[in-house]
Amino acid sequence: MAAAVAGVSLDPTTTGGRTALFWPRFPKSAATIQYASAIQGTARGDFAIAWRFERLPINTSNHNSAFVTIRIRFLIPPSAAGVLRLPIPVSTKTQTSLRHALFIPNVTLLKASASNECNKRREARLGFPYSWEYNMTEKQWYKLESKKKIGTPCNSFLFHPSLNRTKWSGESDITNAVSKRLDQSLVSGFYEIVLNNWKLEKEIEGSGRIGNIPEYFNSKNLGPYCKDGSTFEWHIDDATHII
């Protein structure tokens, strides 16, 4: 689930795998997913993206309504390019900034260090004491608590502590471009985006199974990625948003 919403794929119009589309999806609420990451491998190298919620309230009941920060990091390998397509914020208070690292980090070393730390967490069973189960009678997903630690949440290598020493460029304010849903074309590099005052909302409580929630696709508001809500004809840019 976390990889599916991270948001990286080959651009629909690319040739030779040179250009990737970065289109991170954030849940309405932070109650279920609070971070995500994914890698798109190509012959030119790995495109990678990771994001996480920050400044979350200690009181989890506010994870459906608070204003939080979202930090996104993504990597475009040498001789490649990327297209950034961010979702439109629900609040006009949201401010978005973009900056890039002055030097591309050692990706091989980062991956090895992150993998080593993740393996230590697995061996120590530092997982989470619950799983998501499906009730066939109620036709609803529910959270099943368990005394046994299941899985092991691990940070993406893009958030490895060694990157805290990264030297960054100055920040560019891209709030206006995001609000107008303008794609950003980017060259090879390591980037960071910060969305301040992102508004959390309560998730739609669907009656169908996960991934098949009629309350979403029966809505009159089909979102910013449907070119014409009155038809079932999709623009080529829309296709990559269908998971």
Side-chain angles (χ1 to χ4, degrees):
M1 183 184 295
V5 300
V8 60
S9 62
L10 292 178
D11 190 273
T13 61
T14 191
T15 56
R18 182 178 184 276
T19 305
L21 177 65
F22 294 94
W23 48 281
R25 305 294 89 190
F26 314 123
K28 290 178 176 290
S29 166
T32 303
I33 297 178
Q34 298 179 0
Y35 62 90
S37 63
I39 296 176
Q40 172 67 60
T42 71
R44 296 176 181 272
D46 288 343
F47 294 86
I49 187 171
W51 63 259
R52 67 187 183 192
F53 286 125
E54 297 180 351
R55 293 176 51 241
L56 283 169
I58 296 177
N59 187 344
T60 56
S61 64
N62 294 324
H63 286 191
N64 294 327
S65 59
F67 282 93
V68 299
T69 294
I70 301 178
R71 189 176 303 274
I72 312 168
R73 288 180 177 175
F74 57 97
L75 181 70
I76 303 175
S79 74
V83 175
L84 175 64
R85 182 177 297 166
L86 294 176
I88 298 176
V90 297
S91 172
T92 57
K93 294 181 179 180
T94 304
Q95 298 291 317
T96 308
S97 63
L98 169 69
R99 63 180 182 174
H100 66 272
L102 299 182
F103 302 97
I104 297 179
N106 186 326
V107 177
T108 302
L109 180 60
L110 278 175
K111 287 182 177 180
S113 298
S115 177
N116 184 51
E117 292 181 11
C118 192
N119 287 334
K120 289 181 179 178
R121 288 180 59 84
R122 289 195 180 99
E123 292 172 359
R125 297 189 177 184
L126 300 176
F128 41 92
Y130 65 87
S131 62
W132 288 98
E133 304 292 336
Y134 187 72
N135 187 315
M136 297 296 293
T137 303
E138 300 293 334
K139 295 184 178 180
Q140 292 283 345
W141 288 86
Y142 66 97
K143 197 174 185 178
L144 178 64
E145 301 292 339
S146 172
K147 293 182 179 180
K148 181 181 179 181
K149 294 295 181 76
I150 306 169
T152 305
C154 295
N155 283 324
S156 164
F157 70 92
L158 296 179
F159 282 115
H160 190 269
S162 63
L163 290 174
N164 294 339
R165 300 188 297 271
T166 300
K167 293 183 178 180
W168 299 96
S169 67
E171 294 182 350
S172 299
D173 188 340
I174 59 172
T175 303
N176 188 51
V178 173
S179 65
K180 293 181 179 179
R181 204 229 183 249
L182 299 176
D183 290 349
Q184 306 281 318
S185 296
L186 302 168
V187 298
S188 172
F190 177 45
Y191 294 85
E192 181 176 82
I193 296 172
V194 176
L195 295 96
N196 285 310
N197 292 320
W198 181 272
K199 182 69 167 62
L200 296 177
E201 300 177 296
K202 187 176 181 179
E203 291 283 5
I204 293 176
E205 296 182 2
S207 57
R209 293 195 62 171
I210 192 167
N212 182 27
I213 302 177
E215 283 75 7
Y216 275 113
F217 55 75
N218 287 338
S219 171
K220 292 182 179 180
N221 179 13
L222 300 183
Y225 300 109
C226 181
K227 297 295 181 179
D228 184 357
S230 65
T231 73
F232 287 101
E233 297 179 3
W234 290 82
H235 186 275
I236 181 62
D237 291 339
D238 300 330
T240 192
H241 295 281
I242 303 175
I243 301 175

